[in-house]
Amino acid sequence: MNALREAIRQALTVAAEPTKAEAMRAYMKSDMPFLGVQAVPRRAALKKVFARHRILAAPEWRKTSLAIWRAAEYREERYAAIELTGYRYYRPWQTLYTLPMYEEMIVTGAWWDYVDDLAVHRIGGLLAAFPDTMRPLMLDWSRADDLWKRRAAILSQNRFRHGTDLGLLYACIEPSLSDTDFFARKAIGWALREYAKVDPREVVRYVEHKGISGLSRREALRNVPDA
């Protein structure tokens, strides 16, 4: 674990452009500093590190991912923890045992750059693989006091397209319709915009029927002609 954490820090430091760090921090409104590693070189560097430092058991992988997340001193190290959870060697370990790990990252991360990646690519994957367990959990999250769990529930089907459970999508949106928070409203609009790629008429119908916020409406109908 320590060797992997050190290798991640070293690789990120080498790939960093320190002159960009403060601008990245300002854009993300982050209390945690940045090293100044942009997404493409970060992913390339981390793939090499992960390939050299294989983890041999699922419990150790989860433990290591959380350790990197908790000990992070720079935001890119938290991105590395998320990328480690999605690394291709560990796809067979995407089981319900990962839920506590992802939930901790969502709740303690509490910002869109972390939460959206986890919602769409990790929670969404679990929902597709284990719908009987995940569907009621997403309904619970959608009613949570925690904004970021609600956002994750709303966004969890963003890649499902024709496989979207429309009843679940609307049920996850419903508790946040009255929320005035920007990130709740933005999530509603984004989720509806993704489903509009499948059935724009249904999204128009829903938006008109529900009278959702202006922000959510604009986001939902952004790519719908003449809406």
Side-chain angles (χ1 to χ4, degrees):
M1 184 189 304
N2 289 336
L4 176 56
R5 286 166 57 186
E6 183 57 36
I8 288 170
R9 171 71 64 84
Q10 183 176 1
L12 291 173
T13 301
V14 169
E17 297 177 75
T19 58
K20 295 183 177 180
E22 191 52 41
M24 293 170 72
R25 179 176 181 170
Y27 171 76
M28 202 53 65
K29 299 179 181 178
S30 174
D31 292 332
M32 185 177 287
F34 277 82
L35 285 164
V37 190
Q38 298 196 62
V40 172
R42 184 188 76 233
R43 293 186 185 115
L46 290 173
K47 282 181 181 178
K48 293 177 182 178
V49 172
F50 296 160
R52 290 196 301 266
H53 295 266
R54 292 284 298 273
I55 300 171
L56 301 180
E60 185 64 19
W61 164 69
R62 295 193 298 270
K63 181 179 178 181
T64 301
S65 298
L66 275 178
I68 293 166
W69 175 268
R70 291 167 179 168
E73 296 178 16
Y74 296 93
R75 204 166 187 94
E76 291 96 336
E77 291 174 326
R78 283 197 156 179
Y79 295 156
I82 293 174
E83 290 187 38
L84 180 60
T85 68
Y87 190 55
R88 60 189 179 89
Y89 289 154
Y90 309 129
R91 285 174 188 162
W93 297 346
Q94 296 290 343
T95 68
L96 295 173
Y97 288 110
T98 62
L99 272 171
M101 172 175 67
Y102 295 142
E103 183 174 3
E104 177 177 332
M105 290 178 172
I106 287 168
V107 172
T108 61
W111 202 242
W112 64 267
D113 56 335
Y114 301 138
V115 173
D116 293 1
D117 194 1
L118 290 162
V120 175
H121 299 110
R122 305 293 184 272
I123 299 300
L126 293 176
L127 177 58
F130 308 101
D132 290 345
T133 299
M134 291 298 296
R135 190 179 190 279
L137 181 65
M138 291 300 94
L139 292 173
D140 286 344
W141 282 22
S142 76
R143 297 186 290 265
D145 291 335
D146 186 274
L147 164 66
W148 300 101
K149 289 175 75 171
R150 285 188 281 118
R151 184 175 169 101
I154 291 168
L155 300 180
S156 62
Q157 295 190 83
N158 264 23
R159 300 180 74 192
F160 283 25
R161 297 294 182 93
H162 290 279
T164 300
D165 180 337
L166 194 56
L168 177 60
L169 175 60
Y170 290 162
C172 287
I173 288 173
E174 189 76 26
S176 293
L177 283 174
S178 61
D179 195 332
T180 59
D181 187 275
F182 172 86
F183 291 103
R185 290 182 168 184
K186 191 83 168 179
I188 291 169
W190 182 17
L192 292 172
R193 185 172 76 246
E194 290 302 311
Y195 189 67
K197 296 173 183 177
V198 174
D199 191 346
R201 289 184 180 180
E202 169 56 24
V203 172
V204 171
R205 183 206 65 79
Y206 179 82
V207 167
E208 297 297 339
H209 174 69
K210 285 293 180 181
I212 65 177
S213 73
L215 172 59
S216 297
R217 178 190 177 92
R218 288 192 298 274
E219 288 294 319
L221 303 180
R222 182 189 296 177
N223 300 321
V224 178
D226 303 321

